[in-house]
Amino acid sequence: MVDNILSILELKRQNVETEFKIIYDEVTEICALLDVEIKMPRISGRQMHRENHQAETPEAYFRVTMYFQYLDHLIQELRSLFADSRQKAMKVQCLVPKYTVSSTFADLIETLDFYQTDLDCSASVLRGEFECWKAKWGRKAGNELPETAIEALSFCPRIEYPKIATLLQIFATFPVTTSTPERTFSSLKLLKTYLRSTMGHERLNGLASMTLQRDVPVSVDEVVDLIAQDPRRLDIVL
């Protein structure tokens, strides 16, 4: 599936003029209905804050500054997200009991090579643990099978399944998306503005945590007690 999408995007990249012409014609029709003129930004001799490509027409300008870069970025992100190394790492998913019952050791063998430094064991050792792990969950009903790595870890005693516990711990820490850091950056723009650029790290971290973790209850009494522990020269009379 991913290879098919990449081949389509690369084909569009090769025929970029034809493909962008179709998009540009549709945009032109919409702009005509809205009485909006398509114009490219002013081209200057030196520009640092936006694209400044030389172009004779708006179509050529937006093709170079937007369509080219969008396709290149999308192709690069797909290749990075579904790289061979990442696909090998994701083979650990077969250790989640929901998928273990229908998996074989052949699905896990590539993981041994990829995480050899973390496991430090032979294939026979990992095979033995996998067979015991699969037999354990093969006797359970479908609704009793854990569906996530974190749930599976709670049923995986390290003394019995040391290698599988290590792999599940690694799998549980895989970042699924980049939404958390992106949300953090968005919050920082609201917290640390030009008028509050001298804010200290401790205060900034505290405000950022309160903004991001809004579901965590905050006790007013605990906050007051914490502030009261800091000695101040000014006596506050309530």
Side-chain angles (χ1 to χ4, degrees), residues 2 78-96 99-100 103-104 106-115 130 147-149 167-177:
V2 177
L78 283 175
R79 286 176 176 171
S80 175
L81 184 61
F82 297 98
D84 293 339
S85 58
R86 186 176 180 86
Q87 292 183 14
K88 290 181 180 179
M90 293 299 292
K91 295 284 187 178
V92 187
Q93 185 178 9
C94 68
L95 292 178
V96 177
Y99 309 104
T100 302
S103 302
T104 62
D107 301 324
L108 191 64
I109 190 62
E110 292 184 1
T111 304
L112 177 61
D113 298 332
F114 192 79
Y115 292 113
F130 177 79
E147 299 182 357
T148 64
L167 290 174
L168 285 174
Q169 186 175 5
I170 294 174
F171 185 58
T173 58
F174 276 176
V176 180
T177 66

Side-chain angles (χ1 to χ4, degrees), residues 30 46 51 58 60 90 96 103 108 164 177 183 192 200 213 219 222 234:
I30 296 175
R46 181 181 180 185
E51 300 294 339
M90 293 299 292
V96 177
S103 302
L108 191 64
I164 290 181
T177 66
R183 188 168 67 249
K192 195 167 185 178
Q213 309 294 337
S219 173
E222 292 181 2
L234 179 64

Side-chain angles (χ1 to χ4, degrees), residues 48-173:
M48 299 177 59
H49 302 290
R50 63 173 173 81
E51 300 294 339
N52 196 45
H53 298 285
Q54 299 291 333
E56 297 181 356
T57 62
E59 179 181 352
Y61 176 82
F62 290 112
R63 182 177 65 244
V64 174
T65 58
M66 298 184 64
Y67 193 66
F68 263 131
Q69 297 188 21
Y70 173 75
L71 280 180
D72 291 342
H73 177 73
L74 187 58
I75 292 173
Q76 182 180 359
E77 289 296 318
L78 283 175
R79 286 176 176 171
S80 175
L81 184 61
F82 297 98
D84 293 339
S85 58
R86 186 176 180 86
Q87 292 183 14
K88 290 181 180 179
M90 293 299 292
K91 295 284 187 178
V92 187
Q93 185 178 9
C94 68
L95 292 178
V96 177
K98 180 181 178 180
Y99 309 104
T100 302
V101 293
S102 59
S103 302
T104 62
F105 183 70
D107 301 324
L108 191 64
I109 190 62
E110 292 184 1
T111 304
L112 177 61
D113 298 332
F114 192 79
Y115 292 113
Q116 182 60 43
T117 55
D118 298 294
L119 297 175
D120 191 21
C121 69
S122 61
S124 59
V125 173
L126 186 60
R127 179 192 294 272
E129 285 194 22
F130 177 79
E131 291 176 353
C132 294
W133 180 251
K134 183 176 180 178
K136 173 181 179 179
W137 297 107
R139 298 187 295 269
K140 302 288 185 179
N143 57 354
E144 298 179 359
L145 300 177
E147 299 182 357
T148 64
I150 297 178
E151 291 181 32
L153 268 174
S154 60
F155 296 98
C156 182
R158 187 172 291 273
I159 192 173
E160 297 181 20
Y161 309 98
K163 307 306 178 183
I164 290 181
T166 300
L167 290 174
L168 285 174
Q169 186 175 5
I170 294 174
F171 185 58
T173 58

Side-chain angles (χ1 to χ4, degrees), residues 23-38:
I23 300 175
Y24 188 80
D25 290 342
E26 294 179 359
V27 173
T28 303
E29 294 178 1
I30 296 175
C31 291
L33 294 175
L34 299 176
D35 195 20
V36 175
E37 182 182 0
I38 301 178

